[in-house]
Amino acid sequence: MSLTVIFQKELFSVVGISLGSVLEFFSTMRNRPASDAVALLSINWFILGTLSSRTLPVIAHMLAPSAIRIAVQLVFKDIFFPVSLLASDLGIPGIYLVHDFITVEEEKRFLAEVDNRQWRSLSKRRVQHYGYEFLYETRNIDSKHFLGELPSFVSNILQKILSFPGLGRDQNKEMDQLTVNEYPCGVGLSPHIDTHSAFDELIFSLSTAGPCIMEFRRYPEGTWCHPTASVNEIHEDTPLLSSYITRKAIFLPPRSMILMSGEGHYAWHHYIPHCKVDRVGEKAIGRSSRRVSFTFRKVRKGPCCCPYKQYCDSQLECRNQQVKQNIVQSSLPLKREAFCPTDTDQI
Ligand SMILES: O=C(O)CCC(=O)C(=O)O
Ligand SMILES: [Fe+2]
C-alpha cells in the first residue's frame, strides 16, 4: 500500500471522527456561541477539500463566474447603482416622467386638502383611498364597492394627464381610483407589480412634499415565478437570483409625475428603498420629513390580456381554471408547468 493511500485513509478516519464530533457538538449545544460550530465545520471542510484536491480546480472553475458576480452585486450594488434623472436615460419601455407637473401653489393646496381629511394608518405609512378602496390583503380593489367620484381638487390633474407623453389614442385615460400615500422620512415601499387584474394599463404617480428614488427590477425569463394567487408579491431573493436581476432607478423630485405603462407596469417591479438619504450620482439627497404621493389608476373591468403572462394574475387564473377543466375532462395528472409558465410562453 503506497504512502499516499495510507495517508488518505488516515485523513478519512480523521474526517469521520471530527464529523461525528460536530454532530455530537450540535446535539448538545444550547447556548454555546455559533462561532465555535462554524470554526469546527470549517476545519472539516478544509480536510474534505484537501482530499478532493484533484476535483477542486474543476469545481472552482465552474463556480467562479457566479461567485464573482454575486460578490460584486453584494458589495457594490448600493455604491455604483446608477440613478437616472430622466425617463429617457432609464430606458424602460412605458416609463415616462414629467418634472414640475404641478406648481408649488398646487402642491401646497393638495397637501392641505389631504391633511384635512381622514388618514388610515398602515404599519409604516398613512393612506387615503378615493373612488375604490384598495385591499392590501389581496392587493386588489373591491370593484363592487364604489366610494364616489374622485375629489374635485384633483380634477385639473385628471385633465392634464390626458395629454401626458407616451399615451396612445386608444388607451383609457379616465382614472377612477386614487391612492394617497404618506411616507415618513426613511420609509419606502416593498417591490411589487400593481396587480394586473385590478388596474388598467396606466398608472400615474405624483410626488409631493419630498423626493425619493424609485427602483425598477426585471427578473430574467424563467427565474421568477410565483405559482400562487399573489403572483405580484416579491419574496426575498437569493443572492444568486439577485445577481441576475436587472435593476434601474429614477429620481422622483417633488411635483414630478411618473407614468408606468406597458412593460414598465406589467413586467417591472417598482420599489422605493427604505432610506433617509438617496444617492444620485455624486450627490446625497436627504429625504424630507415626509413624501406624499398621489397614485391615479383605472379599475379594470375585464381580465388582463397583457403579453407578460409570467406576472399576470388574470392569465394565471385562466390557466388554473383551464387546467382544472382539463383534469375533469381527461383526468390528466396535474402538472406544475400548468401553473408556472414555461420559458417559451414568457415575454
Ligand atoms: O408612492 C408612489 O409613488 C408609488 C405608490 C405605489 O406604487 C402604489 O401605491 O402601488
Ligand atoms: Fe405600485
Side-chain angles (χ1 to χ4, degrees), residues 72 77 82 123 134 152 178 269 288:
V72 167
K77 69 177 180 191
S123 66
F134 183 77
S152 57
L178 165 63
H269 287 74
S288 313

Side-chain angles (χ1 to χ4, degrees), residues 81-97 213-217 246-252 258-260 263-264 268-270:
F81 198 58
V83 177
S84 307
L85 297 175
L86 304 172
S88 52
D89 296 338
L90 187 71
I92 299 179
I95 303 286
Y96 298 86
L97 179 71
I213 278 177
M214 186 170 274
E215 188 183 309
F216 291 90
R217 294 178 172 185
T246 309
R247 300 166 76 200
K248 299 182 174 208
I250 193 163
F251 181 64
L252 304 181
I258 189 168
L259 165 63
M260 294 177 259
E263 182 184 322
W268 289 75
H269 287 74
H270 52 280

Side-chain angles (χ1 to χ4, degrees), residues 73-135:
Q73 164 89 23
L74 291 177
V75 175
F76 296 116
K77 69 177 180 191
D78 293 325
I79 303 172
F80 296 127
F81 198 58
V83 177
S84 307
L85 297 175
L86 304 172
S88 52
D89 296 338
L90 187 71
I92 299 179
I95 303 286
Y96 298 86
L97 179 71
V98 173
H99 289 136
D100 296 310
F101 188 76
I102 54 165
T103 63
V104 174
E105 289 68 38
E106 283 174 315
E107 178 186 31
K108 276 190 194 145
R109 192 155 56 80
F110 291 171
L111 290 169
E113 290 281 358
V114 287
D115 282 335
N116 270 334
R117 294 159 199 249
Q118 188 71 41
W119 287 99
R120 174 182 157 200
S121 292
L122 302 181
S123 66
K124 291 192 179 147
R125 63 183 203 275
R126 299 193 301 174
V127 294
Q128 291 180 18
H129 295 135
Y130 297 96
Y132 294 88
E133 186 83 27
F134 183 77
L135 307 169

Side-chain angles (χ1 to χ4, degrees), residues 192 194 270 297:
H192 66 281
D194 286 25
H270 52 280
R297 298 174 279 206

Side-chain angles (χ1 to χ4, degrees), residues 20-53:
S21 58
V22 170
L23 290 174
E24 194 185 318
F25 175 82
F26 269 114
S27 62
T28 55
M29 190 178 76
R30 284 290 175 268
N31 297 315
R32 297 276 298 276
S35 56
D36 288 3
V38 172
L40 217 51
L41 272 174
S42 309
I43 293 169
N44 276 282
W45 282 112
F46 175 75
I47 296 169
L48 276 172
T50 312
L51 289 173
S52 57
S53 57

Side-chain angles (χ1 to χ4, degrees), residues 228-243:
T228 64
S230 69
V231 288
N232 300 328
E233 283 279 345
I234 194 166
H235 296 273
E236 261 328 290
D237 302 319
T238 63
L240 182 62
L241 176 56
S242 151
S243 70

